[in-house]
Amino acid sequence: MTPEQLFHAIGQAEDDLLESSENHRPQRWRPWRRWAAMAAAACLLLAIGLGVGISLPRPGDGLSNGLAGGGSSSSSAVEDPDQGTGQSGGLASLALDWDTSGGAGPGEAFWTDDPAQLVAGSPWTESDTLTTLPVYRHTATQAQEIPVRWRLTAREQAALARSLAVEWGADPAQVYEEDRMTYYGNGFSGSWEDYQALLDRLSTREPAQYPGQQDQYNYDANIQSVSLKLDGMSVKVDDSGERWNIALAQGPQVLQSPPTDLTELEQSLEQIGQELADRLGYRQPAACWTIDYATDYAVEGEVGIRPVLRTGLYEGYGSLEQQIVSYSLNRADPYASGEQGEGFSIWVTSADLSNKLGDYPVISLDEARQQLEEDAYYCSTGDFFPGQDSIAAVEIAYRGREILAPYYRFIVEVDTSQLNPDSVAAMEQEGCKHYAAFYVAAVESEYLEPAQWWQFN
């Protein structure tokens, strides 16, 4: 069922039936929003109230809407007047934007003795040849020009948190105890009653005095995340509805540091993926990870280094194109949450990919390398590309705020002259070099708006 069909089905429910599902919920439910992820969260809450079984939104759900079947989708692209001049084949030209999330934020730099470990588990390799990759318009972007009301309300976040808790084994009787829920946003932290008191205070403000001020009320009152604390479990949901965390007092064992034999790491992640496959909605979980090094300062001021391990799972079933999308936009990142590694926690990202703009022709790896030479790239660290000999590894990853598009992500050795000399000396003594990530748009330039997206540098 598509998000649109799901929303339509919900909209046809009788009012008295909806009201009966609210018996366990204190106070008033806010109006439904015409947005797929929000509708899914609301439907989940309705299902619990009515005792109806329904599948939770999972990392693979958004992918199935945009890429059906085992190969590249051949569905026609949507020509959107807001996207610019249409191109041949019905593909609209793209105005690429940039985000500061998903590992692409400021300071995406690394110290490592093996740059291949910065892209370990990536489904794409340099030997793979692609002609097209899908591009999506993100329906829940946080770009300033998009109204705040497109995001999940506080109550919708709470509904999703409760549904996830039940899916992961919580006692349904606990999830509706309101004092177990905490709401967070813009410096606010408190109960539902505290949040309502905040809304009452904001409602007494003076009317808008200039264009745009009318949105300030929504901004101040926005709840950015909701947490549900239960016995042996906690659930946190953000306001996009596309990212949540499950923490368990007891769960699969996750390695906290890289083992000597990396085969052990891969086997450990594969086992975790198999244990959680049903809950994550994965048919064939695939493991990925990164290993780099950070500096530690001893009491005496001496610099030491320690390895940093980050692990991930994504859907490894389907075409290469499907796997590349899942690797960035629909994945789960497990880690040990307890001080002694006894706890288990997992961050799940499940992007809504229902709004597919089309399958766009992509440039080759050689063409991407040439664009690096021409300074047509984005680098969050502000480094300049030093030359082809400095490229240590490469993968394809998706990024974007409103437009989710593929990029070649180059791992490039960069200059260390501006860094702390003590840290540099300690790293180099252990055989580590300094790298930064450089991004080149994978979509062919004729499908991109004239404005140069790499001016984000």
Side-chain angles (χ1 to χ4, degrees), residues 233-303:
M233 176 192 297
S234 68
V235 182
K236 183 176 182 179
V237 176
D238 75 7
D239 60 355
S240 73
E242 298 182 338
R243 183 169 167 79
W244 59 84
N245 173 262
I246 306 290
L248 305 174
Q250 295 182 343
Q253 294 297 305
V254 182
L255 296 174
Q256 291 184 295
S257 59
T260 303
D261 182 3
L262 293 180
T263 301
E264 179 185 347
L265 172 59
E266 186 171 9
Q267 292 175 343
S268 173
L269 285 171
E270 288 177 351
Q271 181 178 352
I272 293 172
Q274 292 170 3
E275 291 182 42
L276 302 178
D278 289 340
R279 287 177 174 173
L280 295 173
Y282 294 162
R283 296 180 62 175
Q284 185 176 319
C288 58
W289 66 87
T290 63
I291 300 174
D292 61 340
Y293 292 84
T295 56
D296 281 330
Y297 287 85
V299 177
E300 295 81 5
E302 296 182 359
V303 180

Side-chain angles (χ1 to χ4, degrees), residues 309-325:
L309 170 65
R310 302 174 184 88
T311 57
L313 299 166
Y314 65 94
E315 177 60 89
Y317 178 83
S319 67
L320 175 60
E321 291 87 347
Q322 288 175 301
Q323 294 176 46
I324 291 172
V325 173

Side-chain angles (χ1 to χ4, degrees), residues 199-216:
L199 294 180
D200 291 341
R201 292 195 302 272
L202 293 174
S203 65
T204 62
R205 289 187 173 183
E206 294 296 324
Q209 300 298 317
Y210 58 90
Q213 188 181 6
Q214 62 270 19
D215 294 332
Q216 187 65 30

Side-chain angles (χ1 to χ4, degrees), residues 107-317:
E108 193 181 4
F110 317 93
W111 283 100
T112 182
D113 59 351
D114 183 3
Q117 296 304 326
L118 299 177
V119 297
S122 175
W124 178 87
T125 65
E126 295 185 40
S127 62
D128 292 319
T129 302
L130 294 171
T131 57
T132 63
L133 280 172
V135 175
Y136 307 89
R137 168 170 282 177
H138 195 190
T139 56
T141 177
Q142 295 187 19
Q144 292 182 357
E145 64 272 21
I146 302 300
V148 173
R149 64 177 179 273
W150 282 25
R151 298 186 238 168
L152 289 181
T153 66
R155 273 316 207 188
E156 288 163 341
Q157 292 176 63
L160 181 55
R162 287 170 170 141
S163 300
L164 288 166
V166 173
E167 173 74 5
W168 284 73
D171 181 357
Q174 291 186 33
V175 300
Y176 286 107
E177 296 179 19
E178 192 63 31
D179 59 351
R180 294 180 179 271
M181 194 78 70
T182 304
Y183 301 80
Y184 301 91
N186 297 315
F188 169 83
S189 174
S191 66
W192 175 253
E193 289 74 16
D194 295 332
Y195 177 54
Q196 290 299 302
L198 172 64
L199 294 180
D200 291 341
R201 292 195 302 272
L202 293 174
S203 65
T204 62
R205 289 187 173 183
E206 294 296 324
Q209 300 298 317
Y210 58 90
Q213 188 181 6
Q214 62 270 19
D215 294 332
Q216 187 65 30
Y217 170 82
N218 288 333
Y219 173 78
D220 288 342
N222 179 51
I223 288 297
Q224 296 166 325
S225 65
V226 172
S227 291
L228 174 61
K229 301 290 185 180
L230 301 171
D231 296 340
M233 176 192 297
S234 68
V235 182
K236 183 176 182 179
V237 176
D238 75 7
D239 60 355
S240 73
E242 298 182 338
R243 183 169 167 79
W244 59 84
N245 173 262
I246 306 290
L248 305 174
Q250 295 182 343
Q253 294 297 305
V254 182
L255 296 174
Q256 291 184 295
S257 59
T260 303
D261 182 3
L262 293 180
T263 301
E264 179 185 347
L265 172 59
E266 186 171 9
Q267 292 175 343
S268 173
L269 285 171
E270 288 177 351
Q271 181 178 352
I272 293 172
Q274 292 170 3
E275 291 182 42
L276 302 178
D278 289 340
R279 287 177 174 173
L280 295 173
Y282 294 162
R283 296 180 62 175
Q284 185 176 319
C288 58
W289 66 87
T290 63
I291 300 174
D292 61 340
Y293 292 84
T295 56
D296 281 330
Y297 287 85
V299 177
E300 295 81 5
E302 296 182 359
V303 180
I305 67 172
R306 58 180 175 83
V308 178
L309 170 65
R310 302 174 184 88
T311 57
L313 299 166
Y314 65 94
E315 177 60 89
Y317 178 83

Side-chain angles (χ1 to χ4, degrees), residues 41-73:
C43 184
L44 291 167
L45 183 57
L46 178 62
I48 292 178
L50 298 177
V52 178
I54 188 170
S55 298
L56 282 169
R58 288 170 170 168
D61 291 348
L63 179 63
S64 63
N65 289 326
L67 284 170
S72 300
S73 172

